[in-house]
Amino acid sequence: MLSGQTSVMNSIENPIRWYAFKVFFNKVFEIDELLREGGLKTYFPVVKVEKQIGGKTKKVDRPAISSLIFVRCTGEEVVVWQRKLTGRVMLYTHVTDGVRVPSPIDEEEMRVFMLVTSVDDERLEYLGVGTVDYKKGQRVRVIDGPYKGCLGFIKRVKGNRRLLVSVEGLALVATSYIPAAFLEKI
């Protein structure tokens, strides 16, 4: 190991956390399989799309966000996987004390994101992080309906009241319309 790699490894937290990889060449399913075979838990939202296969229309899964996969492991493990998959993925990182380290994702933020994106709702809309100008103001909790238990921010998107849920700096998803009676201010 190079001395620079040692300093990176020494500055990494090692509790099991969620991390994110940017996946190149639209190979999310392939990278998912490799990570799972390596014993890691992964997550990426999928959507059903119609595709012509052999003259027939079939519904197939497609990653909702084509270049993003989340992995649950220690900071050291995620760095090892980044090296194994060099040229195929990029680990999201930040600089701490002049050293680039993996960026862990808040557990609650990830739980809510997985809850929202696992609901079978064709009207979920995946937005680029910078595409919607929303200000962190009044947070709400959904108290009924398919998104019960989710936390987020309410914003009008295309004229409808929608719950925005994000993984900070990585992904933003807007739910379908949510009635005011299903919301509770936090």
Side-chain angles (χ1 to χ4, degrees):
M1 203 181 281
L2 300 173
S3 62
Q5 290 174 334
T6 303
S7 67
V8 169
M9 293 299 243
N10 290 340
S11 62
I12 295 173
E13 294 182 29
N14 278 311
I16 295 176
R17 307 279 302 270
W18 283 102
Y19 296 93
F21 282 123
K22 177 177 180 64
V23 179
F24 303 130
F25 314 114
N26 202 19
K27 301 285 187 183
V28 173
F29 288 111
E30 183 180 310
I31 297 299
D32 178 58
E33 186 176 331
L34 291 170
L35 293 168
R36 286 178 182 268
E37 286 173 358
L40 302 181
K41 180 178 181 179
T42 62
Y43 180 78
F44 60 97
V46 295
V47 292
K48 295 258 186 225
V49 294
E50 290 185 356
K51 189 173 184 178
Q52 293 285 12
I53 301 174
K56 295 182 182 179
T57 302
K58 294 186 179 187
K59 287 202 172 204
V60 296
D61 286 339
R62 175 179 63 79
I65 305 168
S66 64
S67 61
L68 187 64
I69 189 168
F70 299 96
V71 61
R72 186 162 171 77
C73 59
T74 67
E76 281 185 8
E77 288 174 307
V78 80
V79 168
V80 168
W81 277 99
Q82 164 64 55
R83 289 189 187 122
K84 284 182 185 178
L85 299 171
T86 296
R88 299 166 78 186
V89 301
M90 178 192 76
L91 176 62
Y92 283 91
T93 62
H94 66 278
V95 175
T96 300
D97 298 327
V99 178
R100 187 160 294 283
V101 295
S103 296
I105 299 167
D106 179 77
E107 291 294 318
E108 181 63 11
E109 195 174 49
M110 193 65 195
R111 183 193 70 77
V112 170
F113 182 78
M114 289 189 304
L115 180 63
V116 167
T117 58
S118 64
V119 170
D120 188 18
D121 183 352
E122 293 176 356
R123 296 168 297 180
L124 275 180
E125 191 170 348
Y126 293 87
L127 308 166
V129 177
T131 60
V132 174
D133 180 25
Y134 75 100
K135 299 200 177 12
K136 290 190 175 183
Q138 184 63 54
R139 286 179 47 99
V140 296
R141 175 181 292 114
V142 181
I143 58 173
D144 202 355
Y147 300 107
K148 184 177 181 177
C150 291
L151 305 171
F153 299 91
I154 293 298
K155 176 78 176 175
R156 287 207 177 271
V157 177
K158 298 180 182 173
N160 290 316
R161 181 185 313 113
R162 312 211 14 217
L163 179 72
L164 296 182
V165 174
S166 72
V167 174
E168 189 69 33
L170 297 174
L172 179 65
V173 62
T175 66
S176 55
Y177 169 79
I178 298 181
F182 288 8
L183 301 173
E184 169 185 82
K185 289 182 181 179
I186 298 176

